[in-house]
Amino acid sequence: MRTAILFTLALAACGDGLAPPALDAGVDALTDATSPDAAPAPWPFALPAGFPSPRLPPDARLTVELAELGRYLFYDVNLSGNRTQACASCHRQAQAFSDGLTTPTGSTGDRLRRNAMSLTNAAYNPAQTWANPQATTLERQALIPILGKHPVELGVAGREEEILTRFVTDAAYPTRFAAAFPDEPAPITWPNIVRALAAFERRLISGGSRVDRFRAGDADALTESERRGQAMFFSETLECHHCHGGFNFTIAVDHVNVAEQRAQYFNTGLYNVDGAGAYPAADQGLWEFTFVDTDRGRFRPPTLRNVAVTAPYMHDGSVATLEEVLAIYERGGRLITSGPNAGDGRTNPNKSPFVGGFTLTPEQRVDLLAYLRALTDDDFLNDPTLRDPFAAP
């Protein structure tokens, strides 16, 4: 089974490993031989009003049974080498499938360098993770925590057969795998585990906030303060919508109604440690893949849906509150006055022109923050069909 997976990846960091060219070979071994010209299957789950169907990779499929198998695997600590963590350990439903920590700790105690990104509407991402343009599908992203060694997340590498045996000998998993892969005589394989995890993550679609109800015509869904905040959010003075616009509140979005999109990445002036645009050496963002100097500190803008419950913020979790995030954008970049990362992000030469700074009154800050908090989708955060199936009712 291990040879069918081509586990030859040298990956690193929280969901954003530095992947060599072998990544493509590894993913090819995880896919079905479906023609790229094949018509996509209908999306099998209800979508929020006005939401387009996400684009499925040509070699992926999505069924109710496959996603339900993925839900069990997502929450199962048996997927980690030492049985201490699951995918859900870093992606908790109540926090919009983030974890509330600055950066997570892997199953073996290794500290990861990046904040656990929310999985809200991950099915619409043209690339996964903070700054890995190679992780173009959820299947590819799933390989990173499974196989990563520097640091270890799930600690699977070297224990693949042992972990598969756990599922083969489990009382319930053979039936679940058979339902998800009815045409396979021996469906409990690592490629199928990856497919199932990706299928469940494609179910994590949120579009039921009060902002959505207001957009759908419910004039009472937003308060006057939130409406004022909305007007500011979409103004050319603040320019928030240039990076966080559209139905998913990020311009890094892909779906079946548009030509296939590439992810976009931005430098928001969070650091400027040498006065010439450098970010901390431990994390240079997109530059780690392109080695283009202007890509230092560029990261994919996440969706702002459920942003009020996904603190702390930024790629490294270094900003604790929404109030602090707003202060950085209001200033036009973060000022760090002392320590190894000291510098003025406002003067970072690689900073996006949309982070130019602005001035708000105290009342306007309250209004804008109120609008951002109105993007919380309580139904999504409490959806029983997305919940941990092993937890007590």
Side-chain angles (χ1 to χ4, degrees):
M1 291 181 185
R2 290 175 64 183
T3 56
I5 311 169
L6 298 183
F7 273 4
T8 57
L9 310 183
L11 304 177
C14 179
D16 233 349
L18 307 185
L23 175 64
D24 287 332
V27 172
D28 287 344
L30 292 173
T31 59
D32 299 315
T34 305
S35 167
D37 298 324
W43 196 260
F45 302 100
L47 292 168
F51 274 42
S53 292
R55 189 192 309 277
L56 279 174
D59 45 24
R61 63 189 184 87
L62 181 63
T63 65
V64 173
E65 295 80 9
L66 184 59
E68 183 65 358
L69 169 63
R71 180 169 74 108
Y72 277 84
L73 293 168
F74 186 87
Y75 285 99
D76 198 335
V77 295
N78 282 304
L79 194 59
S80 64
N82 59 12
R83 290 176 161 162
T84 62
Q85 289 191 350
C87 302
S89 300
C90 296
H91 298 284
R92 302 168 184 163
Q93 183 180 8
Q95 290 158 300
F97 296 93
S98 64
D99 69 354
L101 302 175
T102 300
T103 60
T105 298
S107 61
T108 60
D110 290 351
R111 190 68 176 265
L112 281 64
R113 66 175 178 162
R114 287 188 179 153
N115 180 259
M117 183 176 261
S118 166
L119 297 181
T120 298
N121 293 352
Y124 290 104
N125 293 338
Q128 305 300 325
T129 79
W130 284 101
N132 184 342
Q134 295 179 350
T136 53
T137 68
L138 284 164
E139 286 83 358
R140 291 186 176 192
Q141 188 281 326
L143 292 174
I144 298 171
I146 289 173
L147 298 179
K149 296 181 181 179
H150 309 290
V152 170
E153 291 190 54
L154 291 177
V156 170
R159 305 179 73 170
E160 297 92 340
E161 295 296 337
E162 172 193 343
I163 294 171
L164 280 184
T165 299
R166 297 174 191 172
F167 297 118
V168 170
T169 58
D170 183 86
Y173 271 110
T175 299
R176 295 187 187 116
F177 273 89
F181 301 97
D183 298 327
E184 297 188 25
I188 303 180
T189 65
W190 276 106
N192 285 348
I193 287 173
V194 170
R195 293 185 182 106
L197 289 170
F200 173 66
E201 290 170 356
R202 291 190 172 102
R203 281 212 57 203
L204 305 181
I205 292 180
S206 171
S209 70
R210 289 190 294 110
V211 168
D212 295 293
R213 297 201 295 272
F214 182 82
R215 288 181 166 188
D218 181 356
D220 297 325
L222 296 182
T223 67
E224 290 186 11
S225 172
E226 291 160 351
R227 293 184 203 178
R228 291 193 298 268
Q230 179 174 254
M232 285 188 289
F233 184 91
F234 289 100
S235 72
E236 292 302 321
T237 301
L238 272 63
E239 300 192 299
C240 309
H241 63 286
H242 289 293
C243 295
H244 294 286
F247 75 95
N248 199 29
F249 289 86
T250 173
I251 63 168
V253 69
D254 188 32
H255 54 82
V256 298
N257 294 344
V258 297
E260 192 161 358
Q261 300 294 300
R262 290 178 178 267
Q264 300 185 56
Y265 302 87
F266 298 89
N267 181 318
T268 59
L270 198 62
Y271 294 102
N272 189 12
V273 298
D274 63 352
Y279 265 47
D283 196 349
Q284 299 277 336
L286 187 64
W287 175 88
E288 295 175 352
F289 289 87
T290 67
F291 303 107
V292 175
D293 281 344
T294 53
D295 285 339
R296 293 184 189 275
R298 292 180 67 191
F299 295 88
R300 181 173 64 83
T303 177
L304 295 187
R305 289 186 172 278
N306 300 298
V307 68
V309 301
T310 63
Y313 302 101
M314 306 302 186
H315 69 278
D316 56 358
S318 62
V319 182
T321 67
L322 276 177
E323 286 83 357
E324 292 177 52
V325 173
L326 182 54
I328 290 170
Y329 287 120
E330 187 172 359
R331 187 181 179 277
R334 181 167 66 174
L335 176 64
I336 301 176
T337 58
S338 62
N341 296 329
D344 190 351
R346 181 166 56 185
T347 61
N348 189 310
N350 302 324
K351 187 185 69 173
S352 167
F354 296 125
V355 187
F358 45 83
T359 300
L360 298 177
T361 67
E363 293 78 11
Q364 287 174 322
R365 290 189 197 96
V366 168
D367 292 343
L368 184 56
L369 290 166
Y371 177 67
L372 293 174
R373 292 181 177 117
L375 287 166
T376 303
D377 180 354
D378 290 321
D379 289 340
F380 174 71
L381 303 181
N382 295 284
D383 185 344
T385 70
L386 307 179
R387 231 176 252 165
D388 180 354
F390 303 107

